[in-house]
Amino acid sequence: MEHRQLGASGLRIPVLSFGTATFGGSTEFFKSWGNTQVEEARKLIDICLEAGANLFDTANVYSQGVAEEILGKALEGRRHETLISTKATFPTGEGPQDYGSSRQHLVRACEDSLRRLGTDYIDIYHMHGFDAHTPVDETLRTLDMLVQSGKVRYIACSNFSGWHLMKSLSVSERHGWARYVGHQVYYSLLHREFEWELMPLGIDQGVGTLVWSPLSAGLLSGKIRRGQPMPESSRLAQGGGQGPQVPDERLFAIVDVLDEVAAETEKTVAQVALNWLLQRPTVVNLVVGARNEEQLRQNLAATGWNLTPEQVARLDAVSDTTPTYPYWHQRLFPMLGASAL
């Protein structure tokens, strides 16, 4: 398993991590993702560790905290071998202090996650979204306190816009506080908006990219094809999909090329889609999930080989879209370099 540096930090993480949103299934939404319990979770973790994928990604909102509890129990006796990433910010209750990135909420959220995970520290602590109601200084000062206390090793963010991330980095730099070294984002062959601003920002500021839903909620898994009904067992069919809808023709055109490349490489459609992401600038890690051992082993096999430059170019071309303003305008003046990607 290849390991890459997480942004401008000393932490090296595997290029694939295991996402635990499939653990628990204690709500209708997350039940459509999966309902893995402790014993099965241990088996899946064994497979990950055998492959060198020792980073496990979770969040306090996954199945209302149950996913963290299951991960903690499944990692008993093996914590020293592993890295844990979890998240806060999204609502965990009905009260006014049960969401956001305030000091009041984050300190309690961190303590609750530590308790559920059965650990003394979190390796990567993400802000799951940007809280526009809390001063950025308050959020980052609190995160720096958690780092200084040893409860958190590194901080990262998720689902931020460009100005959210840049302002946060500026505040950290001004005060000498811990800075975001990673950004967990929605990115795939089907949805490439991340490239317009956040990717160049990551290159410039040394922020590594961790990708969630790299197969676009299963649309790029190879199970959904032109002229075929969506499998009833798929997450999308069961109401667990995320992300904006795309025209069918765009999806099928991309899958057609994925099919061609999969035949050339003797890999699966999903493996090709994942491998394409691993060759993109700033991408350090893909968060892959699995409902069963077979699916997990297939996802893990997306590493250890590379698409050819010609195959990458074909996938680039079929998945390209005209960007929104000001990015389409910047493409008119390539000599200025703003649209280098």
Side-chain angles (χ1 to χ4, degrees), residues 131-188:
D131 177 7
H133 298 294
T134 298
V136 172
D137 298 59
E138 179 179 333
T139 298
L140 291 165
R141 177 69 178 108
T142 304
L143 292 173
D144 187 70
M145 290 169 54
L146 291 172
V147 171
Q148 296 300 324
S149 71
K151 295 177 180 178
V152 170
R153 297 289 195 256
Y154 296 91
I155 62 171
C157 57
S158 183
N159 306 307
F160 276 32
S161 68
W163 78 264
H164 294 158
L165 179 51
M166 194 64 239
K167 181 174 182 178
S168 299
L169 294 172
S170 177
V171 168
S172 289
E173 182 177 1
R174 183 165 70 247
H175 294 286
W177 294 337
R179 73 193 299 271
Y180 294 133
V181 295
H183 188 193
Q184 193 172 124
V185 306
Y186 186 64
Y187 182 34
S188 71

Side-chain angles (χ1 to χ4, degrees), residues 48-306:
C48 289
L49 293 178
E50 288 170 7
N54 67 330
L55 172 58
F56 299 92
D57 181 80
T58 189
N60 62 355
V61 294
Y62 293 170
S63 289
Q64 299 175 324
V66 175
E68 286 186 325
E69 292 178 355
I70 292 174
L71 178 61
K73 292 175 182 176
L75 287 180
E76 285 179 358
R78 296 186 287 186
R79 177 66 177 99
H80 66 288
E81 303 175 54
T82 62
L83 300 170
I84 294 177
S85 164
T86 193
K87 313 176 192 74
T89 301
F90 290 160
T92 55
E94 301 296 327
Q97 308 298 338
D98 291 336
Y99 64 91
S101 300
S102 67
R103 180 177 298 110
Q104 178 73 18
H105 179 68
L106 287 183
V107 170
R108 189 180 70 191
C110 183
E111 294 288 352
D112 288 345
S113 287
L114 289 169
R115 174 179 49 79
R116 286 191 292 262
L117 289 163
T119 185
D120 297 326
Y121 64 96
I122 296 164
D123 296 284
I124 308 172
Y125 199 40
H126 290 264
M127 296 299 92
H128 215 159
F130 184 75
D131 177 7
H133 298 294
T134 298
V136 172
D137 298 59
E138 179 179 333
T139 298
L140 291 165
R141 177 69 178 108
T142 304
L143 292 173
D144 187 70
M145 290 169 54
L146 291 172
V147 171
Q148 296 300 324
S149 71
K151 295 177 180 178
V152 170
R153 297 289 195 256
Y154 296 91
I155 62 171
C157 57
S158 183
N159 306 307
F160 276 32
S161 68
W163 78 264
H164 294 158
L165 179 51
M166 194 64 239
K167 181 174 182 178
S168 299
L169 294 172
S170 177
V171 168
S172 289
E173 182 177 1
R174 183 165 70 247
H175 294 286
W177 294 337
R179 73 193 299 271
Y180 294 133
V181 295
H183 188 193
Q184 193 172 124
V185 306
Y186 186 64
Y187 182 34
S188 71
L189 271 166
L190 198 57
H191 296 100
R192 295 179 57 182
E193 299 88 346
F194 163 75
E195 297 175 2
W196 301 346
E197 180 161 301
L198 291 167
M199 181 182 283
L201 191 162
I203 293 172
D204 183 70
Q205 294 294 313
V207 178
T209 301
L210 305 96
V211 179
W212 65 269
S213 198
L215 297 177
S216 290
L219 287 172
L220 300 176
S221 66
K223 299 177 182 178
I224 298 173
R225 299 173 179 278
R226 193 189 307 272
Q228 296 182 12
M230 183 179 297
E232 294 183 2
S233 61
S234 69
R235 174 151 53 101
L236 286 167
Q238 296 180 21
Q242 287 186 300
Q245 289 188 332
V246 297
D248 286 348
E249 187 50 42
R250 171 171 168 76
L251 169 62
F252 296 141
I254 293 172
V255 172
D256 287 345
V257 177
L258 283 170
D259 271 328
E260 295 172 6
V261 176
E264 294 167 6
T265 57
E266 299 184 340
K267 304 294 182 181
T268 68
V269 164
Q271 288 166 352
V272 171
L274 294 174
N275 194 273
W276 177 86
L277 279 170
L278 289 174
Q279 299 188 51
R280 309 307 290 173
T282 76
V283 171
V284 177
N285 175 270
L286 310 181
V287 182
V288 296
R291 299 187 187 190
N292 53 60
E293 295 182 24
E294 179 185 1
Q295 190 178 47
L296 177 57
R297 292 186 190 278
Q298 288 184 359
N299 286 338
L300 290 171
T303 65
W305 57 279
N306 282 326

